Amino acid sequence: MMKAVRMNTISGKTADLSTEALASLNAGLRGEIITAEHEQYAAACMVWNGLIAKKPGVLVRCQDVADVIAAVRFAGEHSLRVSVRGGGHNVAGACLADDGFVIDLSAMRSVRVDPQRRVARVAGGARLGDLDQETQVFGLAAPVGVVSATGVAGLTLHGGTGWLLRKHGLAIDNLLAVEVVTADGRLRRADQRQHEDLFWAIRGGGGNFGVVTSFEFQLHPVGPQVWFSVPMYPLDRAPEVMAAFRKIMGESPDELMAIGVYWSAPAVPEVPVQYHGAPVVILLSCYTGPFEQGEKAIAPLRTIGTPIADLSGPMRWLEVQKFLDGDYPDGGMYYWKSIFLDRLDEQVIDTLSRHAAGRPSSLSSIDIWTLGRAMGRVSETATAFYKRDAPYMIGIEANWTAAEDSDANIDWARKLYQDLREYTRGGEYLNFPGFFENRENQLAGAYGANLPRLQAVKATYDPENLFAGAVNIQPA
Ligand code: FAD
């Protein structure tokens, strides 16, 4: 017999879920309910970011769409505050809420590929690695992100940036349809012909509109081999290297996507020992055009003078998608922010280089994402994702391991963010959102003129605001 549980409700009050109510929900599931009295509870409350220590009231481990429908109906009947878990990789731990009701899709990871139509149907709890594994069998890929353990759902619902964004756009730009359980407990298919407003909102509006049980992606031929660049230059050469990086990427084909990273040289045999752990700039890039043209395409990034080490070469797409995995272990401590920039001039480079030199943790990085091209060719009102015109996004990644270092690392990230604000016309990427501590500004910056329409769609599909999303859009 499960014990009654005190829960938060949508109205901000608390309510007790009775033993009978919990037992009746549990009896109808193929999956299971987990509460604090269960052995699995501590593990079920763990997410990627070890800083997060939230204690939800009830977690519903869903096995299938019927479980998701049962969970949403139950939450609606009891007016519970709902959060939804996909891959558990949101830096703010948004998939959990204290005393909340978690609809957990982490066991729903199936991917089915139709190679003729070049379409993948991906379940709501799948990871990027699940998707890549299944699509690469057919020499295909969906544009998603750059670390394989990340959840497809959270990443896609706020846009989705990765190695294919200049050629094929954001993850949402390749979305053909979703199946979503809305607040009324109904499963709906949303695409360009049915529930178009819902489909528009889901492409950037986050988890505010329901539980997405499946995503349908348009796939593209990629790999199996592509060219990947990893030249490393010492930090004191950053002004010259970053100026060249800006010029090279300004003239490069859409097939070349790059992230210039201020980081630390890894202790690997290819890097001379005296540089192990030294601050460096690494020009990561991936060329996904014709294989025989790749070496030439990445060459300019590798020859800005002589790098201290260079791990570049041909690589399998599956390896590219896992290249950074080891740098982001589960349970480490992380605080990530972002800001869109219009320029990468001397002043910006100076600011970035200064803060790179002052990182309290050698694990931390500053990432310059080169945007535009296919991402920028989609109109800012075509999907909810509004910030399409900025040529750069700076990802500020504070990464560390000891709890006593948290304040110093979080302060470092916030200070850099503040110092970059004079170079932006506004806007943050909601997948790198800090702890959403500045919600109103973040919503306005990310959605611009799309915000009123998002609030109207929210009012249609979730008028009671059952789904908090990672960052909540209130119904109009
Ligand atoms: P979760 O924590 O499970 O969910 C986050 C939020 O998404 C939830 O609060 C909920 O609102 C919503 N959600 C999740 N699943 C569903 C669902 N099925 N239905 C409805 N709502 C749902 N982002 C990029 O764009 N590009 C990258 O290359 C990239 N790299 C990353 C690398 C690492 C190591 C990490 C940790 C993050 C990276 N991100 C990247 C950011 C990532 O996109 C976000 O952290 C995203 O929230 C992760 O999604 P998730 O499903 O794992 O998260």
Side-chain angles (χ1 to χ4, degrees), residues 303-366:
T303 49
I304 309 169
T306 311
I308 57 166
D310 188 357
L311 313 186
S312 309
M315 212 183 265
R316 288 168 61 228
W317 175 252
L318 282 177
E319 287 170 47
V320 169
Q321 288 292 88
K322 292 178 181 162
F323 186 81
L324 298 167
D325 283 11
D327 296 305
Y328 304 107
D330 285 357
M333 303 199 170
Y334 306 97
Y335 178 84
W336 292 4
K337 282 192 80 65
S338 63
I339 189 162
F340 290 107
L341 290 192
D342 297 315
R343 47 196 252 223
L344 184 63
D345 58 15
E346 260 174 47
Q347 285 166 296
V348 172
I349 294 170
D350 179 63
T351 304
L352 299 177
S353 304
R354 211 163 15 89
H355 283 272
R359 291 169 305 151
S361 162
S362 63
L363 301 175
S364 298
S365 71
I366 304 170

Side-chain angles (χ1 to χ4, degrees), residues 242-273:
M242 284 309 181
F245 177 69
R246 177 186 63 220
K247 182 164 187 299
I248 294 163
M249 292 313 295
E251 294 163 356
S252 68
D254 293 2
E255 286 81 5
L256 187 69
M257 164 65 197
I259 310 175
V261 186
Y262 286 88
W263 215 351
S264 307
V268 295
E270 296 86 345
V271 176
V273 172

Side-chain angles (χ1 to χ4, degrees), residues 263-305:
W263 215 351
S264 307
V268 295
E270 296 86 345
V271 176
V273 172
Q274 69 269 30
Y275 287 114
H276 286 186
V280 286
V281 205
I282 309 178
L283 302 184
L284 297 175
S285 79
C286 185
Y287 179 79
T288 49
F291 181 77
E292 57 288 355
Q293 292 172 25
E295 186 165 18
K296 196 166 159 223
I298 64 171
L301 295 169
R302 306 173 61 191
T303 49
I304 309 169

Side-chain angles (χ1 to χ4, degrees), residues 8 22 68 148 236 281 316 337 436:
N8 280 337
L22 289 169
V68 176
S148 76
D236 57 15
V281 205
R316 288 168 61 228
K337 282 192 80 65
F436 293 111

Side-chain angles (χ1 to χ4, degrees), residues 48 84 86-90 94 124 145-146 151 153-155 157 161 210 212 429 431 469-470:
W48 165 75
V84 182
H89 269 56
N90 183 277
V146 303
L155 176 133
L157 293 169
T161 55
V212 179
Y429 181 41
N431 272 336

